[in-house]
């Protein structure tokens, strides 16, 4: 069965954008929105919409690392038998300037991460 390339790329964690501002970077990673087409999806009564992934975020040495995993045994089993559907992905985003901290939120299947440049204490007092 044919799968949309953009959706397939989302399942590998490769659909993201980074914008640079004077005091921070904004990284926006698109999470998968749809389960891949599969006869097992119907057999196991899985929805068309992709459930939210579990994810972790870390920041070390100017590298933002995002790891994500599908939730639940049925989705993991589907990922084992479906092409272009890994159960887990990791995305690394390197920044050109020193960074110190981050804040994030998930909204409408988009993970937004604000990564502060330089010293976070200086940035907060300047606001």
């Amino acid at each position: 069965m044919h799968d949309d390339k953009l959706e397939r790329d989302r399942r590998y964690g490769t659909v993201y954008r980074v914008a640079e501002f004077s005091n921070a970077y904004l990284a926006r990673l698109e999470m998968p929105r749809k389960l891949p087409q599969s006869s097992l999806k119907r057999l196991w009564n899985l929805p068309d919409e992709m459930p939210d992934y579990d994810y972790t975020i870390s920041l070390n040495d100017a590298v933002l690392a995002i790891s994500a995993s599908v939730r639940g045994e049925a989705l993991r089993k589907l990922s084992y038998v479906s092409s272009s559907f890994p159960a887990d992905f990791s995305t690394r985003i390197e920044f050109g300037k020193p960074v110190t901290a981050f804040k994030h939120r998930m909204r409408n299947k988009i993970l937004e991460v604000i990564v502060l440049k330089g010293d976070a204490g200086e940035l907060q007092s300047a606001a």
Side-chain angles (χ1 to χ4, degrees), residues 3 17 38-40 43-44 51 63 65 81 94 97 101 111-112:
D3 208 7
R17 291 180 301 281
S38 169
S39 58
L40 291 176
L43 180 67
W44 294 340
V63 175
V81 298
E94 295 186 37
K97 297 188 172 108
L111 178 63
E112 296 178 323

Side-chain angles (χ1 to χ4, degrees), residues 6 9-10 12-19 26-31 64 66 89-95 110-111:
L6 178 61
D9 289 346
R10 286 177 181 139
Y12 284 95
T14 59
V15 181
Y16 65 87
R17 291 180 301 281
V18 177
L26 172 60
R28 300 182 80 227
L29 175 84
E30 293 188 28
M31 293 294 211
L64 180 70
I66 302 167
F89 70 79
S90 293
T91 300
R92 293 173 40 90
I93 301 171
E94 295 186 37
F95 300 104
I110 296 178
L111 178 63

